[in-house]
Amino acid sequence: TAPGKAGPPALNGLKRRASVVAVAEPSPAVDTEPRNRQRTGILVHGCHLEAEDWEGIVWGHAGHGEEGWKMGRLPAAVLLAAEESAALLVLGTGASKAPDGRLEGRFTLDTLLERLDRLHDFPPLRRWGLVELATMVRKISVAETDSTNTTSEVRAAFSLFQQHKVSRGFLVSSPTHLPRCLACACEAHEQLDDADGDGAFHGAVYASPSETCYESYHASDVVVVEPPHRGD
């Protein structure tokens, strides 16, 4: 969806990253004050801090030559936030803890803040200056550390979306995790509508994959089991 235009009315969908755009001078500023457009919130799903290749899953993998790095969840979320002029970036969860006691969401946000000067390792992010990207990230990011699983993580993000008057939400995670995230989000959407009425988040929900997966796995390794629904 181009900035300044409302997204499709569907409850859920798939947001692919934009093609690489040549660097131009001056770099555009990131607009985080939507006016006549929908307010966008983004949930970056957490990854257990003891997961194999946490670095690759969350930050990314080095590329070759002009290809740059493959984007993990954090740079993919920053790109989406810049493209959509996001008002809120939520990083979950509280499901695991670093040796120094920081919970997963806080540790993940700190990792992003510590690496803001490395965002141009990812060619799609070179459309914006590092200062503009850093300013945006610091302004809209919040760590969510109360949730302990994907379902409660989504519900916590929806609560934050509602508090910040977000009208549409994006889920960012790895291709090997995102299908379950979207299913949990749709379930939470329905349950919150039933339980909380006007106090629930009613916005559209979209899914946006990063470029890296769980160690040694690919999107093709994910199995989705649908309930019976065909008449034949």
Side-chain angles (χ1 to χ4, degrees), residues 2-103:
K5 296 183 180 180
L11 171 63
N12 46 63
L14 185 66
K15 171 77 178 178
R16 292 288 185 184
R17 73 176 178 87
S19 300
V20 177
V21 177
V23 177
E25 293 294 343
S27 57
V30 180
D31 180 9
T32 59
E33 296 294 341
R35 290 174 288 275
N36 296 321
R37 65 176 70 99
Q38 298 186 66
R39 284 177 65 84
T40 298
I42 299 171
L43 167 60
V44 186
H45 283 276
C47 181
H48 196 285
L49 297 178
E50 295 182 8
E52 294 183 28
D53 192 30
W54 185 91
E55 179 77 16
I57 295 168
V58 174
W59 186 248
H61 289 148
H64 300 284
E66 294 299 318
E67 293 183 6
W69 287 54
K70 287 188 177 298
M71 293 190 295
R73 299 179 190 183
L74 288 178
V78 172
L79 175 62
L80 183 63
E83 289 180 330
E84 302 296 332
S85 300
L88 181 66
L89 183 66
V90 181
L91 297 102
T93 68
S96 61
K97 184 182 294 186
D100 62 7
R102 283 179 294 169
L103 293 174

Side-chain angles (χ1 to χ4, degrees), residues 120-156:
H120 277 183
D121 286 346
F122 306 96
L125 284 167
R126 296 172 191 168
R127 294 161 56 189
W128 298 272
L130 287 175
V131 173
E132 287 79 14
L133 291 172
T135 299
M136 177 195 69
V137 168
R138 292 191 179 102
K139 181 177 181 180
I140 68 174
S141 299
V142 59
E144 184 283 301
T145 58
D146 292 330
S147 63
T148 57
N149 55 44
T150 302
T151 299
S152 61
E153 180 184 28
V154 168
R155 291 175 67 94

